Amino acid sequence: MNPTAHSILNFIALGVLIIGTIVRLKYFEADKNAVIDSLFYIILGALLGAWLFKAVPRFVIHLKNASIYVRWWDAGLHWMGALSGGTLAGYLFCRAKNLSFGVGLDLFMPMIPLAQAVGRIGCIYNADSFGRETESWLGAWLPDPQAVYAYRYP
């Protein structure tokens, strides 16, 4: 496993999202400076949301049974929390600046699947999140964390 390569591909995915959004700006009647300013808050919200998505359940487990040692502060990141946190941060930014949230969604959201695909390549390269074994032609010859190879959904 190579977490460094995984992180690099996640940053490439972030770059795809940012550059794609800036390129799409020419097709929208949006304030370019406000959109570029919003990127800082959206990225910050995405990072916070990604961490909270895994940290909160671990913290709740720790509160319910303090005898179980759970490292809730070392929770990692999750893409669903990143999407939720980034969207919430974008919504709050639009509310604070009196901007149309719908235009913001139209501007950013088409780039999300492309960025997710690049980040998913990092998951495949790192061998950390494969699906269950399959007999389907869609399966790829991939290992699990114990290095057992089988046809799996990527």
Side-chain angles (χ1 to χ4, degrees), residues 39-82:
L39 286 172
F40 171 77
Y41 296 104
I42 290 171
I43 292 169
L44 190 65
L47 287 172
L48 183 62
W51 180 77
L52 284 174
F53 195 84
K54 283 197 165 185
V56 169
R58 288 180 178 201
F59 186 67
V60 169
I61 289 171
H62 178 71
L63 288 178
K64 284 185 175 181
N65 191 353
S67 65
I68 297 175
Y69 180 69
V70 179
R71 293 174 41 159
W72 57 269
W73 58 88
D74 188 24
L77 302 175
H78 199 277
W79 72 269
M80 286 187 282

Side-chain angles (χ1 to χ4, degrees), residues 11-119:
F11 279 109
I12 290 172
L14 181 62
V16 165
L17 181 65
I18 292 170
I19 291 169
T21 300
I22 291 171
V23 168
R24 289 177 51 83
L25 269 174
K26 65 181 172 183
Y27 301 110
F28 288 88
E29 298 292 328
D31 181 16
K32 293 174 179 28
N33 291 329
V35 171
I36 292 172
D37 288 346
S38 72
L39 286 172
F40 171 77
Y41 296 104
I42 290 171
I43 292 169
L44 190 65
L47 287 172
L48 183 62
W51 180 77
L52 284 174
F53 195 84
K54 283 197 165 185
V56 169
R58 288 180 178 201
F59 186 67
V60 169
I61 289 171
H62 178 71
L63 288 178
K64 284 185 175 181
N65 191 353
S67 65
I68 297 175
Y69 180 69
V70 179
R71 293 174 41 159
W72 57 269
W73 58 88
D74 188 24
L77 302 175
H78 199 277
W79 72 269
M80 286 187 282
L83 184 61
S84 303
T87 304
L88 179 63
Y91 174 74
L92 294 174
F93 183 86
C94 287
R95 289 287 306 257
K97 300 287 184 178
N98 285 336
L99 301 172
S100 171
F101 183 61
V103 170
L105 287 178
D106 287 341
L107 187 61
F108 285 100
M109 286 302 168
M111 300 308 300
I112 296 292
L114 184 59
Q116 175 65 21
V118 173

Side-chain angles (χ1 to χ4, degrees), residues 9 58 124:
L9 283 165
R58 288 180 178 201
I124 291 171

